[in-house]
Amino acid sequence: MQDTKKPKIKKTEEEWREELSDYEYQITREAATEAPFTGEYTNTKTNGTYVCRCCGEPLFSSDTKYDSGSGWPSFYEPVDYENVETKVDRSHFMIRTEAMCSNCDAHLGHVFPDGPMPTGQRWCINSASLKLQEKE
């Protein structure tokens, strides 16, 4: 069986710094977290697709966005589970599941098992990791 996975985007730290603001770099490349209720897309209701700020990979649809009350844009599932990767995050004296873009390894946020049906998941994502491509 042939591996159909596309190769990951690899850039140097300097290349990422040239393309991203300092804030976006801290969030996406250093796994920082924006303060709750401060992100550009926290309260956005605009229809469209949220793509990775670093590489443009489609990540989440406005159709799955909901108000979790957490202070970050929240979704109950990605556009395609192959577009996101998860790993155990043991930082900050907690055990959480980190969400990353599978195309470029950008830090997106975390996923929790306390979301709404049909998935029961809450993908809690930093606005600085996303760009909204509005539906026309």
Side-chain angles (χ1 to χ4, degrees), residues 21-42:
S21 71
D22 289 342
Y23 185 67
E24 293 164 349
Y25 182 87
Q26 290 171 350
I27 302 291
T28 62
R29 309 319 305 174
E30 296 178 334
T33 300
E34 60 196 18
F37 302 102
T38 63
E40 175 183 5
Y41 300 123
T42 302

Side-chain angles (χ1 to χ4, degrees), residues 40-41 44-51 53 60 62 130-135:
E40 175 183 5
Y41 300 123
T44 300
K45 307 260 190 266
T46 306
N47 289 330
T49 300
Y50 292 86
V51 301
R53 182 167 302 271
F60 300 95
S62 61
L130 303 171
K131 279 187 193 175
L132 176 58
Q133 292 181 340
E134 294 183 28
K135 282 185 186 170

Side-chain angles (χ1 to χ4, degrees), residues 87-102:
K87 73 175 184 179
V88 174
D89 175 3
R90 297 186 192 292
S91 65
H92 305 289
F93 307 103
M94 295 181 270
I95 298 176
R96 302 176 291 175
T97 302
E98 180 182 5
M100 300 159 303
C101 174
S102 65

Side-chain angles (χ1 to χ4, degrees), residues 3-11 55 57 82 85 101-105:
D3 185 9
T4 58
K5 265 187 132 174
K6 60 186 171 186
K8 284 188 184 258
I9 292 175
K10 298 287 184 189
K11 294 183 182 181
C55 72
E57 184 80 355
E82 289 188 10
E85 291 180 353
C101 174
S102 65
N103 197 39
C104 71
D105 292 331

